[in-house]
Amino acid sequence: MKRPLLVAAVAVAQLALVVVAVAPQLSARVTGETYEFAVAPIDPHDPFRGAYVDLDYPDLRPPDDWSTPSGTPDVYVVLEEKDGLMRATDWSWQRPAEGTYLSCSTSGGPFSCGIESWFADADEARRIEDAMRTDGAIAEVRIDGRGNAAIVSVRAR
């Protein structure tokens, strides 16, 4: 009698962990609005994860004098649209009360907003990288009301 109950409890706990792990991305994809960002490529290939494009967002870089205070896990990047593309206008340690922003993590080095990699098959990754080198590219990103973000697509300009 105890064994089936224990197995059920472990299964429920594992399911809860999966839900917690994907909740920000899922929330952005389901409830978020779509915004476009200029992106530049970095050329990676991971033998375990396959082909992907690492993306650099030139318009999201903080100023040179910006630094992360120790013990601060999150930074909020306030966004504004200019010429059809989103750009960072401010970096804050407190969640903005209104407007569009990204919720980013500062743990492990430079901040990460969860939109730095686009996974694709090898042919699509190569096509995107080639297009980015010549004309640049646009990333379509969905952002929900809490700043969670997910890439929807990447295309040439």
Side-chain angles (χ1 to χ4, degrees):
M1 182 72 171
K2 286 184 177 182
R3 177 158 276 196
L5 189 58
L6 180 62
V7 170
V10 169
V12 167
Q14 288 177 341
L15 181 60
L17 289 173
V18 169
V19 169
V20 168
V22 300
Q25 287 273 325
L26 187 59
S27 172
R29 287 181 188 277
V30 173
T31 66
E33 292 185 41
T34 302
Y35 300 94
E36 294 184 341
F37 292 84
V39 293
I42 303 171
D43 187 22
H45 180 82
D46 188 319
F48 297 105
R49 295 188 292 180
Y52 65 101
V53 180
D54 255 354
L55 302 173
D56 178 34
Y57 293 81
D59 297 331
L60 295 183
R61 292 185 190 134
D64 292 336
D65 61 349
W66 185 82
S67 63
T68 305
S70 61
T72 305
D74 296 321
V75 63
Y76 302 95
V77 182
V78 179
L79 303 170
E80 274 186 19
E81 185 177 344
K82 182 177 179 187
D83 301 325
L85 299 174
M86 299 305 285
R87 302 174 191 280
T89 59
D90 193 20
W91 293 262
S92 174
W93 306 113
Q94 297 172 344
R95 187 179 301 275
E98 59 184 27
T100 304
Y101 62 92
L102 291 171
S103 178
C104 305
S105 172
T106 60
S107 59
F111 69 84
S112 167
C113 303
I115 54 174
E116 290 77 23
S117 295
W118 176 250
F119 292 88
D121 64 48
D123 291 337
E124 181 185 2
R126 191 173 305 110
R127 181 187 55 77
I128 291 169
E129 288 171 1
D130 290 344
M132 281 196 266
R133 281 190 200 96
T134 57
D135 302 325
I138 303 292
E140 288 186 33
V141 177
R142 291 186 63 92
I143 304 171
D144 71 7
R146 299 204 32 89
N148 298 313
I151 300 174
V152 177
S153 71
V154 177
R155 68 178 193 282
R157 277 191 176 193

